[in-house]
Every structure is written in C-alpha cells, then in structure tokens.
Amino acid sequence: MSDVQKQVQIAIDQLVESGAETGVQVAVYREGRLVVDAVAGAADAETGRPITSSTPVFSTSTGKGVTSTVVHVLAERGVLGYDTPIVDLWPEFGAHGKQAATVRHALTHSTGVPGLPVDTTPEDLCDWEKMCAAIADAEPWWEPGTKTGYHAQSFGYIIGEIVRRATGLPISQVLREEVAGPLGVADELFFGVPESELGRLARLDEPASDFEMTADMLEGIPFFKVVHGYTAAPMAALPDAAYGNRADVLMSDIPAGGTMSARAVARMYAALLGEVDGVRLVSPERLREITSVAMTGLDEVAGFPGTKALGYNIGFPSLNASPAPTVFGMAGSGGTAAYADTATGVAFALTKNRVSAGEFTTVEQIGEIVKNSLTD
C-alpha cells in the first residue's frame, strides 16, 4: 500500500468514525495509473450496507464534467463542433433571440438560459421533452455569449439535447457507448440508472438542521432570483438527499448531475489527460483547447467571479484555494468533486453520501493530502 493510499484511508476512516461522513470514496489516478482507491463507511446508514469502490453515488453537478466530456468525445469524432449554432441541431432553441447561441456557449454557461420555470418539480425534471420545450421557449436573460451564469439544471438539458439531436441517441446511451464502456466503467458511471442497478446505489443522507431560508433571504441570493418566470433554483426541485434518493430521478436522464463511483469518474478524467489501459478520450491538442480559459468574470447567477473552460471550472472547488490554472473539473452541491491537473497528470475524485450543502471541507482535506503527497 502506497503512502498516499494510507494517508487517505486514515483520513476518511476518521471522518466516518467522527460522524462527519456516512460513506466516502476517493480515487486518484496519476499518469494513467490508479494510485489511490479508498473507501470508508456505509452506502446505506439504515442497513449498514458497506460502501465499496464500485458503489455508484448520486453526485449532483460533479456530473456536469461527465456531460461535457461526452461532447468533447463527439467533437473529437467530428460529430459536432464547438462553434456549431445550437439551432443547426435544435431549431426550436432559437426562439426569442437565442439563435446565435453555440455549443461553446452551452459549455461555458453563457447561452443566457440559466433557469427553469419557477414551479418546476422533480417530476418535471424527469420529463425530457417537457424540460427541453420549456428551455427552447425561454427568453434569454442576456444576449448569448456576452455573459456567463451558472446553468444549474438547464445545462444538462441543453447539452443533452444537443447530443441527442447530433447522434439520434439519448445522452445516457452515448455516455455508455463512447466513454464509460470503453473505459470499463459502464456499471459505475451513469446519467439515467437502469432500474436493475438501483439496489447497488448509495443512499444519501444529510445532517438535521433547523435552519430555514426566509423569503427575504432568498431575495438577496442571485441564485434564487426569478427572471421571466424562470429561476436557476426551483424551490420544489432542489437537490437535497430526498431528491437524490428518488427512483424516478435516478432513472431519468437529468445530466446536470450524475451517478458515479469516484473510481469511475477519476478514470474518465485520467483518460482525458492521457492513455488509460489503451484508451484516450481526446487528443493532446483537444485537451489543451478544452482546458484553456474560455470565460472569466462575474457569474451572473452564482454572484461571484469564476473562470470556466469548455464545460469545466478552472481551479480547485474552494473559494479559499490558491489559484490553480492547470486544474479543471466540477464539484457538486452535496460536497463531491472530480478534477484533473494537466501539469501533474493527476486525476482526483471524491464521492460521498452525506449531503453537505455547499460545503467542501472533506474534498479540501483529502485533496490537500493528495496534492502534498503526489507533488512533493
């Protein structure tokens, strides 16, 4: 057992023993080789079923990095281009002045459609045609390409429908055939999870809290603002533990998030960086293109500055982290994250089933161990 594996294992064991976490997975690849594969705790706190390296965990926006990777694999094959107008594939999207929006704009959260109808429910999110129709008919919050703002849920439908129109296949099938299957992780990396696999998934939980957001508080948070009857965060469909345990949500293609093991998504990022057991997802030239800064500045929805590559955030998933221009990836609202570093050849993923809304303490702690161990 390597020193970094030991350090990570000790740390996540302590997190579970302390009650801070229920179940945790950590996987790290370096230059195409798995160097950390550590798990601790339970996949289901009620039954005590242990979490394993192959247990899929619903991981909210960490899945956006997977969604973007599907697009890059298709671009590598010439199926679509980043500057392809979305209306060339999906004509209805051009309504209300959105006809100039491109695939690049979709990847950089700059199409101007960051929201969904304010009364959207989880049942609505499971209805692909309904959500795509609502997004196509939406009035843009800004002229496409002129600003960026986090497309929390709409990102998945916009990218997913681009993929469906370009290939004739749902994005879950394209993920399986073009990414997960070739990498040997088709049973650990999903958008819509087959019903037969639901029993393998981790069950999410969250700490009890008496804290409630008042209407006045919500009004002061850009993420919850309502424009033209749309909001980035429909209150009835926020991704808490109950949402992430719903069978209908898990089985549906909602590719703003995904269900994955840390090992599977770390392997995907490793295969973006280079070859993994004979599989490389994109060329070195495309890797440079997709990990370069594409947009920077104030995020109109999140309310703070950010830097985006093509479908990934640049830097570590912490506002307190030092600048890391060679790191790209995505983090999820429950405290999960997956990213890679083009400078070191390291791909890192951490998934967990304790939903710690907006907090990345565990990711930061374990990420620091990995960084210090593999870059010294």
Side-chain angles (χ1 to χ4, degrees):
M1 186 184 296
S2 70
D3 183 56
V4 63
Q5 170 84 20
K6 289 179 182 177
Q7 290 185 56
V8 169
Q9 189 66 62
I10 290 169
I12 62 175
D13 283 342
Q14 290 175 344
L15 285 165
V16 169
E17 289 167 7
S18 72
E21 300 292 354
T22 301
V24 184
Q25 299 172 323
V26 180
V28 181
Y29 276 79
R30 187 178 192 184
E31 296 178 350
R33 185 171 61 90
L34 184 64
V35 296
V36 175
D37 185 7
V39 298
D44 186 333
E46 290 189 7
T47 67
R49 173 168 54 95
I51 197 165
T52 70
S53 296
S54 63
T55 302
V57 184
F58 180 68
S59 300
T60 61
S61 290
T62 301
K64 287 184 173 70
V66 181
T67 308
S68 300
T69 297
V70 171
V71 173
H72 299 316
V73 171
L74 293 178
E76 184 80 6
R77 288 179 39 209
V79 174
L80 49 75
Y82 302 126
D83 294 314
T84 299
I86 295 174
V87 293
D88 285 4
L89 301 166
W90 180 9
E92 299 89 339
F93 188 82
H96 305 298
K98 302 193 299 294
Q99 65 276 2
T102 65
V103 174
R104 186 183 303 275
H105 296 151
L107 289 166
T108 56
H109 299 253
S110 60
T111 64
V113 191
L116 300 178
V118 70
D119 59 354
T120 297
T121 65
E123 290 85 357
D124 293 330
L125 294 180
C126 298
D127 187 333
W128 186 267
E129 297 294 341
K130 180 176 184 176
M131 298 318 303
C132 287
I135 290 167
D137 192 47
E139 295 182 43
W141 294 17
W142 58 79
E143 180 183 343
T146 61
K147 298 179 181 180
T148 185
Y150 190 53
H151 288 41
Q153 285 286 18
S154 60
F155 178 90
Y157 296 106
I158 295 171
I159 294 294
E161 186 66 357
I162 287 169
V163 168
R164 190 178 76 88
R165 297 287 181 120
T167 65
L169 302 172
I171 191 170
S172 54
Q173 184 175 344
V174 180
L175 170 66
R176 184 171 63 251
E177 294 179 357
E178 302 291 344
V179 178
L183 287 171
V185 292
D187 59 347
E188 296 180 29
L189 186 60
F190 304 100
F191 293 127
V193 179
E195 186 174 8
S196 60
E197 301 295 310
L198 291 178
R200 298 177 47 230
L201 272 52
R203 184 131 185 112
L204 306 187
D205 62 43
E206 53 196 329
S209 174
D210 295 327
F211 179 76
E212 287 189 21
M213 297 288 288
T214 66
D216 289 343
M217 293 170 67
L218 291 174
E219 287 179 4
I221 301 174
F223 207 79
F224 293 94
K225 69 181 176 182
V226 177
V227 180
H228 308 309
Y230 282 54
T231 179
M235 290 301 295
L238 294 181
D240 57 10
Y243 171 92
N245 287 329
R246 290 178 59 131
D248 56 350
V249 166
L250 292 165
M251 292 170 60
S252 297
D253 278 347
I254 307 176
T259 302
M260 65 201 74
S261 69
R263 183 173 64 183
V265 70
R267 187 172 177 85
M268 183 204 78
Y269 274 99
L272 287 170
L273 292 176
E275 192 171 293
V276 179
D277 294 333
V279 177
R280 180 167 192 156
L281 294 176
V282 298
S283 67
E285 295 76 19
R286 188 169 304 278
L287 176 66
R288 285 192 290 272
E289 180 178 11
I290 67 179
T291 60
S292 297
V293 173
M295 290 202 80
T296 189
L298 179 69
D299 185 302
E300 298 288 327
V301 173
F304 50 78
T307 303
K308 293 181 175 64
L310 289 182
Y312 314 99
N313 287 336
I314 297 291
F316 293 105
S318 167
L319 293 176
N320 300 317
S322 57
T326 59
V327 172
F328 69 100
M330 287 298 300
S333 59
T336 63
Y339 51 85
D341 189 341
T342 58
T344 62
V346 171
F348 167 95
L350 185 148
T351 56
K352 63 195 194 73
N353 54 350
R354 171 65 59 88
V355 176
S356 48
E359 294 183 7
F360 295 95
T361 305
T362 295
V363 166
E364 291 168 5
Q365 177 184 343
I366 306 305
E368 193 69 19
I369 291 171
V370 171
K371 179 183 175 184
N372 292 338
S373 298
L374 295 182
T375 59
D376 286 346

